[in-house]
Amino acid sequence: GDSVTQMEGPVTLSEEAFLTINCTYTATGYPSLFWYVQYPGEGLQLLLKATKADDKGSNKGFEATYRKETTSFHLEKGSVQVSDSAVYFCALLNTDKLIFGTGTRLQVFP
Amino acid sequence: DAMVIQNPRYQVTQFGKPVTLSCSQTLNHNVMYWYQQKSSQAPKLLFHYYDKDFNNEADTPDNFQSRRPNTSFCFLDIRSPGLGDAAMYLCATSRDRLAGVSDTQYFGPGTRLTVL
């Protein structure tokens, strides 16, 4: 069945460091891909999405490119801030189901 | 602003005492979802409504029920909560299905359920 694999956390960075969180997927067909962010004690917020191969989703300085050839959707940010500390979920949407990865906790220190 | 609203944000119930969680949306979306998220885990889909059509996940316990009286509201009923049902419950919506593929899902802030 469809699945999403994310790198295990926590990812610990200093402020202004470069961020990469790896995400790969297995799916039939052509799923849409998403990154959601969850701040402590809150629900999930859509961060960015891409609906077809080679699409780049971007928001708030984060970006991810839908790579069909490597079945990947890695999240990147050039310069993280303390306020980016959260759990990041990669997900795919195929038919009616949103399938999540296990989440990667990001901790950014001043 | 259009949004997905969940009430209450925090709910405490006793072991075996029925509890209802509420979700409403002003997005006028056709599809509504309920997820369960336990600590440090990914959200797990319990069921969803496509309009009035109820779709239960195969592994959702019978203890969990849902109602959708109209487009805007959806309720999660837990008939006899156990300690293992303590979790964050997330409601989400999506506009519709398009050629068999749902649109982006938008999540509410969640209700954290504690079972004593």
Side-chain angles (χ1 to χ4, degrees):
Chain A
D2 295 354
S3 65
V4 175
T5 302
Q6 286 181 240
M7 60 188 291
E8 287 196 24
V11 173
T12 303
L13 295 173
S14 297
E15 207 164 24
E16 299 184 3
F18 184 85
L19 168 71
T20 301
I21 300 178
N22 289 337
C23 172
T24 58
Y25 68 92
T26 302
T28 55
Y30 303 96
S32 296
L33 301 174
F34 302 82
W35 278 100
Y36 282 87
V37 58
Q38 187 173 34
Y39 297 102
E42 297 186 11
L44 276 72
Q45 298 177 27
L46 177 66
L47 182 59
L48 54 85
K49 70 175 184 178
T51 57
K52 61 183 187 298
D54 299 326
D55 268 3
K56 178 185 282 189
S58 61
N59 186 27
K60 299 181 181 179
F62 292 89
E63 58 182 36
T65 301
Y66 190 141
R67 301 284 189 202
K68 189 170 183 293
E69 63 277 11
T70 55
T71 62
S72 65
F73 193 55
H74 305 321
L75 182 68
E76 296 182 335
K77 186 176 185 183
S79 177
V80 294
Q81 305 300 312
V82 172
S83 57
D84 294 327
S85 298
V87 179
Y88 292 81
F89 289 94
C90 183
L92 69 84
L93 183 62
N94 218 348
T95 61
D96 296 320
K97 294 193 178 184
L98 192 62
I99 296 169
F100 289 93
T102 52
T104 302
R105 181 174 299 278
L106 171 65
Q107 297 174 322
V108 181
F109 293 96
Chain B
D1 287 338
M3 57 198 317
V4 181
I5 302 160
Q6 291 189 245
N7 287 306
R9 294 291 308 276
Y10 301 90
Q11 176 73 56
V12 180
T13 190
Q14 293 180 333
F15 183 95
K17 184 175 181 181
V19 66
T20 295
L21 308 182
S22 170
C23 177
S24 64
Q25 52 121 345
T26 59
L27 296 158
N28 204 32
H29 283 177
N30 279 330
V31 194
M32 295 187 76
Y33 308 79
W34 279 104
Y35 290 84
Q36 179 192 62
Q37 186 184 22
K38 296 189 176 180
S39 182
S40 301
Q41 296 183 21
K44 177 180 177 298
L45 182 65
L46 295 174
F47 25 60
H48 75 277
Y49 275 94
Y50 178 67
D51 194 11
K52 296 181 180 179
D53 181 28
F54 177 71
N55 298 270
N56 198 36
E57 293 300 298
D59 57 354
T60 298
D62 292 340
N63 197 28
F64 292 86
Q65 304 287 321
S66 185
R67 297 170 284 135
R68 189 178 185 187
N70 53 53
T71 299
S72 300
F73 284 87
C74 194
F75 300 99
L76 171 62
D77 301 309
I78 309 176
R79 292 192 294 188
S80 182
L83 298 179
D85 297 328
M88 173 81 89
Y89 289 88
L90 299 169
C91 175
T93 72
S94 65
R95 185 181 63 223
D96 213 333
R97 295 174 187 162
L98 183 64
V101 180
S102 294
D103 197 0
T104 302
Q105 291 186 20
Y106 296 90
F107 284 79
T111 295
R112 184 167 296 283
L113 178 68
T114 300
V115 182
L116 301 178

